[in-house]
């Protein structure tokens, strides 16, 4: 990891240690919020520090009463320009909270509005450890190690050096199956996603940013547990589902949803997190690495839809093209 | 309110006061979870007691570390038989948490598995104060008054006596516009819902239970703030949206989403919470009563879709018909 990145992480950890942090807020919009949600997942599971996720505007308007001097607020925006998130940073600072911005642009409004910065590299050819997942995971697992010290978390941080290699190998492994998915689904105008646990936010991200935003395909990210309490009634032989079969404690929920969906739909695609390549990752760390790797695999599925529909992922009709 | 219901509420409040409650968990599935979410909304907004919502199975499998003897766990199931929620009650009790079950059936497994019971009447002709919203609101606002004492909350509880009358009047007011919605949308196979703040879970409920479960119409409950961070790209002249224009702090988010959606879709339906009849409700209590009334209004929109599609809301193809 780059020296500058190491120092940024160290600064945040020192700041957190020097304050009496009583709760953590993860604040962002869209895909950035989905990424941060993983932090919330592991915080609720591994520590007794209350943690919350809000889309930036909801955070400001709801004005949670527990937000204050003892709060750690982690904000994220790829460009660092998302207006709602920039406002949320100022809002949190006014309340006295410790603010940390995650972005690829350190001179962005978000980073300028926040006390601490975690920068990540983006598509500049550098190692994944310095990229968005490498940096975010480093931050989260170092924080977990502060709030609920466990040698496992230190090992996760250490093993993040494997990310680049794991990305490459998993991209290779899933290229063909993803391409077939794109071919089979190129005429679909709706594709549901499904997941639970550490993966529900991956489904959310795939639904909101890849299917709806980039491909204009209707979608909804259904929680595998919630599927049976309403949504499953839309299942039919011709209704497509992309199900993330997770690694970790909530896998049984996904298995149950999969088994049902496959009975009544002929269009169920499964991305099984257990079949990812985890080369070099200790067995007991797999549940932390699955969510770190799955994103690059899911991206292949979106790439394949783009390829087969002739609708590049870069196309927008509204975003960045007008005021809204 | 019936004597037995008053006593149930009193028992819960006494139990809560006698324990050192440090966090609150709202646990249920589907529509019941959506209803409980309102409790979480007001807890995060009005108190500094950390509160969380989980679908029952996710709760058990995630096993939040902060769940313990100082937790209040509120569970809800209409019939009291939802297996995941029954298990969640046992799980929470094993952890030493204070458990409260909300259900229409006091001899149900859920009520038998929980320490305290809040019963509600259902379609038996009794006053709304003893029904699901009357009882749940009584519980929530009495609890808020324990954790963050405020005369406003006592006034909400008092004014819940108005519910029955408000239901009747609002049903009358919205009958025609809902019918027109049903007629206009009877050929749609996808209808998005949109909302924020105290209403996002109403949208979730309408999407999951009414559109997807009961009407087999594809849907997704989009947060008005999140709309601009992906989902809005599916907006087109022929894509229908049902937007709840909320009452309360996050209304500006809904207004922004509405203004955009209307520019590019010819099929935007608005249910404006400010136009509900609030007769007898103090001005400063409207934000608490809006979410209590909107449910019966939204139901009319689903009834109208059922009427015009000839697909009764009672029809299922999987639910209750097979093991899953």
């Amino acid at each position: 990891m780059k020296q500058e990145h190491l120092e940024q992480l160290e600064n945040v950890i020192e700041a957190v240690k020097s304050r009496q942090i009583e709760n953590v807020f993860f604040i962002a919009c869209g895909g950035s919020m989905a990424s941060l949600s993983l932090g919330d997942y592991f915080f609720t599971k591994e520590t007794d520090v209350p943690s919350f996720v809000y889309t930036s505007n909801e955070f400001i308007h709801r004005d949670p009463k527990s937000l204050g001097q003892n709060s750690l607020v982690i904000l994220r925006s790829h460009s660092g320009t998302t207006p709602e998130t920039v406002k949320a940073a100022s809002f949190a600072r006014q309340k006295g909270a410790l603010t940390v911005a995650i972005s690829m642009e350190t001179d962005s409004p978000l980073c300028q509005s926040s006390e601490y910065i975690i920068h990540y590299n983006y598509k500049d050819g550098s190692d994944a450890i310095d990229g968005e997942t490498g940096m975010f995971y480093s931050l989260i697992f170092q924080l977990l190690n502060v709030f609920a010290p466990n040698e496992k978390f230190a090992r996760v941080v250490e093993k993040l050096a494997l990310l680049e290699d794991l990305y490459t190998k998993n991209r290779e492994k899933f290229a063909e199956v993803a391409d077939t998915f794109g071919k089979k689904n190129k005429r679909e105008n709706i594709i549901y996603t499904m997941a639970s646990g550490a993966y529900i936010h991956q489904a959310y991200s795939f639904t909101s940013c890849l299917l709806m935003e980039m491909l204009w395909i209707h979608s909804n990210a259904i929680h595998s547990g919630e599927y049976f309490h309403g949504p499953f009634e839309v299942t039919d032989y011709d209704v497509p589902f992309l199900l993330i079969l997770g690694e970790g404690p909530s896998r049984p929920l996904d298995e149950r949803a999969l088994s049902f969906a496959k009975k009544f739909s002929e269009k169920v695609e499964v991305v099984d997190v257990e079949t990812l390549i985890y080369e070099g990752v200790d067995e007991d760390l797999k549940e932390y690495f699955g969510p770190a790797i799955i994103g690059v695999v899911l991206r292949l599925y979106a790439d394949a839809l783009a390829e087969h529909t002739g609708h590049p992922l870069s196309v927008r009709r509204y975003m960045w093209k007008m005021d809204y």
Side-chain angles (χ1 to χ4, degrees), chain A:
Chain A
M1 188 180 283
K2 290 183 178 166
Q3 188 57 34
E4 146 200 22
H5 286 171
L6 284 170
E7 281 166 19
Q8 286 170 356
L9 288 163
E10 204 177 296
N11 291 341
V12 173
I13 297 302
E14 283 315 306
V16 165
K17 282 182 177 167
S18 74
R19 311 253 295 239
Q20 187 68 35
I21 298 298
E22 288 174 3
N23 52 35
V24 183
F25 291 86
F26 292 98
I27 307 299
C29 295
S32 293
M33 180 182 76
S35 302
L36 289 186
S37 295
L38 201 76
D40 173 70
Y41 176 81
F42 287 121
F43 260 82
T44 55
K45 199 168 161 296
E46 310 277 5
T47 83
D48 54 11
V49 182
S51 111
F52 310 92
V53 186
Y54 288 107
T55 183
S56 307
N57 247 342
E58 178 75 40
F59 173 66
I60 296 170
H61 288 80
R62 190 178 306 191
D63 187 7
K65 201 152 183 181
S66 62
L67 173 67
Q69 293 186 345
N70 299 319
S71 302
L72 167 62
V73 180
I74 298 175
L75 308 110
R76 183 164 169 172
S77 162
H78 188 54
S79 63
T81 58
T82 312
E84 299 95 315
T85 311
V86 176
K87 265 188 225 159
S90 306
F91 174 74
R93 279 190 86 168
Q94 277 164 24
K95 298 267 181 178
L98 177 63
T99 50
V100 178
I102 307 177
S103 175
M104 63 175 280
E105 290 290 355
T106 52
D107 54 1
S108 63
L110 177 63
C111 291
Q112 298 306 311
S113 306
S114 305
E115 269 177 285
Y116 291 88
I117 297 172
I118 299 291
H119 170 262
Y120 60 80
N121 294 350
Y122 185 68
K123 290 191 176 170
D124 65 345
S126 61
D127 190 276
I129 189 71
D130 289 297
E132 46 189 333
T133 306
M135 287 302 290
F136 179 60
Y137 266 63
S138 297
L139 174 65
I140 290 302
F141 285 88
Q142 287 191 36
L143 285 173
L144 288 173
N145 216 10
V146 171
F147 291 109
N150 187 327
E151 63 77 32
K152 273 208 298 190
F153 302 144
R155 254 191 301 133
V156 171
V157 174
E158 217 175 274
K159 295 280 185 180
L160 287 172
L162 297 167
L163 270 186
E164 184 70 34
D165 187 48
L166 292 172
Y167 283 176
T168 308
K169 286 182 171 145
N170 280 292
R171 276 197 195 103
E172 276 166 24
K173 175 168 179 175
F174 286 89
E176 205 181 312
V177 67
D179 184 68
T180 305
F181 168 82
K183 189 178 162 192
K184 279 199 296 191
N185 289 279
K186 68 179 171 182
R187 311 228 192 275
E188 302 299 344
N189 78 331
I190 179 159
I191 301 174
Y192 285 105
T193 62
M194 202 149 38
S196 67
Y199 299 91
I200 181 61
H201 303 289
Q202 305 273 355
Y204 180 84
S205 194
F206 195 82
T207 276
S208 285
C209 305
L210 294 166
L211 293 175
M212 297 177 79
E213 174 185 325
M214 301 188 195
L215 291 157
W216 305 353
I217 293 172
H218 298 299
S219 186
N220 180 353
I222 302 169
H223 186 284
S224 318
E226 284 288 287
Y227 177 55
F228 296 98
H229 297 278
F232 77 151
E233 283 283 337
V234 298
T235 310
D236 211 333
Y237 73 98
D238 60 349
V239 177
F241 289 87
L242 176 65
L243 188 141
I244 307 173
L245 189 54
E247 162 80 32
S250 67
R251 185 176 174 92
L253 274 67
D254 307 328
E255 283 170 340
R256 182 180 170 220
L258 174 61
S259 155
F260 185 91
K262 274 170 78 175
K263 255 187 227 158
F264 299 100
S265 164
E266 291 161 15
K267 297 183 174 175
V268 180
E269 180 80 20
V270 184
V271 183
D272 184 349
V273 181
E274 274 195 357
T275 68
L276 296 179
I277 295 170
Y278 292 93
E279 219 172 280
V281 176
D282 307 341
E283 193 59 33
D284 66 336
L285 302 187
K286 274 187 172 181
E287 76 168 290
Y288 307 112
F289 273 79
I293 306 168
I294 194 73
V296 304
V297 172
L298 289 170
R299 181 72 184 210
L300 300 174
Y301 286 75
D303 285 339
L305 283 169
E307 176 69 21
H308 289 280
T309 57
H311 179 119
L313 297 184
S314 55
V315 170
R316 300 290 186 283
R317 45 184 157 185
Y318 311 121
M319 194 175 268
W320 314 312
K321 290 195 162 171
M322 56 185 74
D323 287 330
Y324 44 84

